[in-house]
Amino acid sequence: MRDTLILFARAPRHGTVKRRLARAVGAAAALRFHRGQLLSLVRGLGRDRRWRTVLAVTPDATAVRGTRWPAGIPRHGQGSGDLGTRMGRALARHRPLAVLIGSDIPGISAADIAAAFRALRAGAPAVFGPAEDGGYWLVGFGARRPVAPFAGVRWSTAEALADTLANFRGARRPALVRRLRDVDTAADLLAAHRLAGPRVARRV
């Protein structure tokens, strides 16, 4: 069985996605970015034969009806609970190895995903992709992960990655792949424009 790439995504609906970004650029522009970025990730990563790609979506009901998701990608609901609970559930669902990414990071490449799986096969208890805001855009676990890897994490803060890494004290240090910037604000979107040029500009 191939390794699994899990793409965590909120249903692309007006007024429900990228709310911080929407406050600056409007709900319609935020939705266009979200939808375009999701499609770009599926096209760029979902066709790679080194792993299979699945969507873990919220709200759960949108996994089966009422939303136009990218075609050809299996999907399931994230379930209830906070972010750590939902990510832990998704990662535990897929074997032998799985890594999970968010859907709002324009810079993700297939090389990043391959590097994450290599780190896990080399024996790392976990792998993380640090984000510039102190969180992380990628997470994956090896066989020797803590019982509660997301315990006490202050989500949506600059301490999210540090809090998660603290749960690995006493174990082999997790591996890190490259640092990227997610798009939560207008400043993040402007930075993405500068890095990617017209390709991002057309999506917003």
Side-chain angles (χ1 to χ4, degrees):
M1 181 180 293
R2 285 181 295 172
D3 299 331
T4 303
L5 171 63
I6 305 166
L7 181 54
F8 237 46
R10 180 170 290 277
R13 293 178 170 178
H14 187 274
T16 67
V17 297
K18 308 306 301 176
R19 289 175 177 170
R20 287 175 60 194
L21 178 63
R23 287 196 290 269
V25 303
L31 176 60
R32 284 195 298 273
F33 168 79
H34 177 77
R35 183 180 286 136
Q37 176 60 23
L38 181 60
L39 182 59
S40 178
L41 287 172
V42 169
R43 285 175 174 170
L45 304 174
R47 298 172 183 173
D48 198 302
R49 302 181 73 85
R50 289 174 291 181
W51 52 76
R52 67 187 187 109
T53 301
V54 301
L55 285 167
V57 306
T58 188
D60 285 10
T62 64
V64 293
R65 65 180 183 275
T67 298
R68 291 182 62 185
W69 294 103
I73 302 293
R75 57 187 179 268
H76 58 76
Q78 295 178 11
S80 60
D82 68 7
L83 180 59
T85 299
R86 289 180 282 124
M87 290 197 302
R89 182 184 299 121
L91 287 164
R93 179 173 184 157
H94 299 285
R95 295 287 188 271
L97 293 176
V99 298
L100 181 151
I101 62 173
S103 57
D104 56 357
I105 307 93
I108 301 175
S109 70
D112 295 316
I113 306 305
F117 281 124
R118 282 197 303 271
L120 294 177
R121 287 196 202 91
V127 60
F128 294 93
E132 291 190 6
D133 62 4
Y136 43 97
W137 59 268
L138 176 147
V139 57
F141 295 130
R144 297 182 179 180
R145 65 176 181 176
V147 174
F150 299 121
V153 175
R154 289 168 284 181
W155 300 111
S156 301
T157 73
E159 290 74 34
L161 177 58
D163 288 347
T164 309
L165 292 176
N167 291 322
F168 287 81
R169 287 175 183 161
R172 183 177 174 183
R173 184 170 178 81
L176 300 178
V177 294
R178 68 182 177 127
R179 185 180 302 272
L180 293 174
R181 183 171 187 165
D182 54 3
V183 174
D184 288 323
T185 67
D188 296 330
L189 184 58
L190 180 59
H193 277 291
R194 290 171 175 166
L195 286 173
R199 181 172 59 86
V200 172
R202 287 195 297 268
R203 293 205 298 263
V204 299

